[in-house]
Amino acid sequence: MASLKDMPNIGPVAAEALEKVGIETPDQLREIGAKEAWLRIRAQVDPGACLHLLQGLEAAVEGIPKKLLPAEKRAELNAFFKNY
């Protein structure tokens, strides 16, 4: 079984936070999506979860390094983040 830490942008801290909210595999993260995963982390683990985590989760779902997220996706995530 693949590990969350095998995904781009997911280090030990992010993987631990994801596991604490019931997301234990890359497939689960892809199914739930970055926004929902981030909301769960923010509500249950870290009320200060930042925009960088949200962007990293989205890039992980897409299978790319965070720095390669398109500008349109970054803007969408920034707007989402500002609402929470």
Side-chain angles (χ1 to χ4, degrees):
M1 176 165 65
S3 167
L4 288 167
K5 290 183 257 181
D6 294 333
M7 299 179 81
N9 318 299
I10 305 295
V13 173
E16 182 180 350
L18 288 164
E19 289 166 358
K20 285 181 179 179
V21 297
I23 301 168
E24 299 178 351
T25 68
D27 286 340
Q28 287 176 322
L29 178 56
R30 284 188 282 271
E31 183 179 316
I32 289 167
K35 291 176 184 173
E36 178 60 28
W38 182 82
L39 287 172
R40 290 181 187 187
I41 290 169
R42 189 149 185 170
Q44 298 173 32
V45 178
D46 180 6
C50 65
L51 175 62
H52 296 287
L53 176 61
L54 176 59
Q55 291 173 343
L57 292 172
E58 180 63 35
V61 166
E62 294 186 21
I64 60 173
K66 183 174 78 167
K67 66 182 180 182
L68 296 181
L69 276 176
E72 304 80 34
K73 180 59 78 172
R74 285 182 183 274
E76 173 192 327
L77 294 171
N78 195 12
F80 177 83
F81 178 80
K82 286 180 180 180
N83 285 321
Y84 292 94

